[in-house]
Amino acid sequence: MMKPISLTDFYEQIKSDNPHIPIDQLGHFNVFEIEKVQKRMEQSPEMPYNMRTYFKISLMKGANTVEYADKTLHIEKYGLLFTTPKIPYNYIPKDDDQSGYFCVFTHDFLASENISATLDSLPIFGHGAQPVFEISENEYRRIALIYKKMLEELNSDYEFRFGLLRTYVLELIHLGQKLMPKPVHRTPLSASKRIVSIFVELLERQFPIDNIDQRLQLRKAEDYAKRLAVHTNHLNKTLKEETSFTTKQFINLRIAQEAKALLSETDWPVATIADCLAFEETSHFSNFFKKQVGLSPLKFRTKQTI
């Protein structure tokens, strides 16, 4: 199984090949060529960084299937992908001709920019977004130039290179947002839609689970109804009418989604994952997972390594 490691540890592994990487900025930003990362992973099959900690912008050449939250999206030849640590994702190459670039960064990297405080709320990184775009060959070439500039600056001795790199990251973000469909004029939310919106926000605030000391606090429909100051039956009726899911179904789907991510991306024991997801007994979690996914947690984890 591929085990996620910190970005800093990954840099330590590769800095002998790239002696000019500025160590004082590790953990905040870097840019990679996909082909080189794939070759390194063939030698050491570990994730090059913990995807659940960093924002990532990928420029891909090659056929890929992208699993993002509850969506499955397809790229035939050229694609641009924006991912956030709050939403689980995976992309699966469909051919051997894979190349391109990706950069990773944290909130801290954009701390000097006004956009940092609202990074999570940008449309490109927001919940419900579809941040995967098929692009033309010409668009791929134009965007590839930005990544080449990033690589050049990252290895330069220019004193203010990170200011320039922030500009390139912002350029990519704005390019992505320009590719998004234009928003339609929205009427004010009804009372029912406001309840659904706040419910989803309360649910998503608890994810991702990124350390073993983290534990879900809102686990049952009653927990959310209390926070929303409505009766549990009213919350359930509202969600059913607006989303076709009951409150319990909605919560269970999101917990199952997080469980799959933890089983795929960490080597935590199943008992630890069960505890983080607020199951009193590991057996309860195993039964829940098998009902939701169709496999036991261990069989699901084994399947991910094949």
Side-chain angles (χ1 to χ4, degrees):
M1 177 180 178
M2 291 193 301
K3 298 179 181 179
I5 59 175
S6 72
L7 190 56
T8 303
D9 290 342
F10 178 61
Y11 292 158
E12 289 295 327
Q13 293 177 14
I14 68 171
K15 69 180 181 182
S16 58
D17 300 327
N18 301 274
H20 300 299
I21 289 178
I23 303 301
D24 61 336
Q25 290 293 331
L26 296 183
H28 295 283
F29 172 86
N30 209 339
V31 59
F32 301 94
E33 295 180 64
I34 289 174
E35 288 177 296
K36 291 183 178 180
V37 170
Q38 287 180 332
K39 287 179 181 178
R40 177 164 292 277
M41 289 179 68
E42 288 174 2
Q43 300 169 2
S44 176
E46 291 184 317
M47 293 292 292
Y49 60 93
N50 186 336
M51 69 176 67
R52 297 164 66 78
T53 305
Y54 292 84
F55 290 86
K56 179 181 178 185
I57 306 175
S58 305
L59 178 68
M60 299 175 288
K61 179 180 178 182
N64 285 273
T65 294
V66 181
E67 298 172 348
Y68 188 86
D70 59 346
K71 304 178 182 70
T72 299
L73 309 160
H74 303 282
I75 295 172
E76 294 299 324
K77 187 63 177 178
Y78 303 101
L80 189 61
L81 168 65
F82 294 78
T83 54
T84 163
K86 286 191 173 182
I87 301 177
Y89 73 93
N90 183 37
Y91 69 88
I92 306 163
K94 293 301 182 181
D95 60 38
D96 295 328
D97 184 20
Q98 298 288 322
S99 59
Y101 307 85
F102 67 89
C103 66
V104 291
F105 58 94
T106 62
H107 274 102
D108 292 342
F109 182 68
L110 296 177
S112 62
E113 308 292 334
N114 291 333
I115 202 170
S116 175
T118 58
L119 199 54
D120 289 313
S121 61
L122 288 175
I124 198 70
F125 293 120
H127 294 297
Q130 184 171 307
V132 182
F133 307 99
E134 283 202 279
I135 56 177
S136 68
E137 183 176 358
N138 285 337
E139 288 173 319
Y140 175 88
R141 289 176 177 172
R142 288 199 299 271
I143 297 171
L145 288 176
I146 299 174
Y147 283 93
K148 289 175 182 178
K149 290 178 182 178
M150 286 180 170
L151 286 166
E152 181 180 346
E153 290 304 328
L154 191 63
N155 291 291
S156 77
D157 58 0
Y158 176 50
E159 182 180 358
F160 304 105
R161 61 192 177 282
F162 284 100
L164 192 51
L165 287 166
R166 290 183 185 94
T167 300
Y168 293 144
V169 170
L170 292 175
E171 184 175 359
L172 290 175
I173 290 172
H174 287 297
L175 278 172
Q177 297 204 140
K178 288 171 71 175
L179 289 170
M180 296 181 74
K182 294 187 183 298
V184 297
H185 178 70
R186 296 180 180 178
T187 56
L189 292 179
S190 65
S192 294
K193 284 184 169 56
R194 281 200 300 273
I195 287 175
V196 173
S197 177
I198 297 171
F199 165 78
V200 172
E201 182 179 353
L202 287 171
L203 178 62
E204 290 295 340
R205 276 182 190 174
Q206 300 185 97
F207 302 101
I209 303 291
D210 52 19
N211 68 78
I212 61 175
D213 296 320
Q214 191 174 343
R215 195 171 193 270
L216 291 190
Q217 299 301 311
L218 302 178
R219 181 66 176 80
K220 300 178 180 179
E222 294 85 350
D223 300 331
Y224 290 91
K226 185 176 180 180
R227 288 289 187 92
L228 290 163
V230 298
H231 194 279
T232 304
N233 292 342
H234 180 63
L235 174 60
N236 193 59
K237 180 175 180 293
T238 300
L239 282 171
K240 185 71 175 176
E241 289 175 350
E242 295 289 337
T243 71
S244 78
F245 293 110
T246 66
T247 312
K248 183 178 180 180
Q249 288 173 329
F250 211 114
I251 295 168
N252 286 348
L253 284 169
R254 185 61 183 91
I255 290 175
Q257 184 183 68
E258 189 69 11
K260 288 193 290 185
L262 291 171
L263 288 165
S264 300
E265 299 168 16
T266 77
D267 58 358
W268 298 356
V270 172
T272 299
I273 294 174
D275 184 62
C276 289
L277 295 175
F279 287 88
E280 296 299 330
E281 301 289 341
T282 305
S283 60
H284 296 169
F285 168 67
S286 296
N287 292 336
F288 164 86
F289 190 85
K290 189 170 184 179
K291 183 176 180 181
Q292 292 290 320
V293 181
L295 295 170
S296 70
L298 289 177
K299 285 185 178 179
F300 176 83
R301 174 171 271 173
T302 301
K303 188 177 178 182
Q304 305 310 297
T305 66
I306 298 175

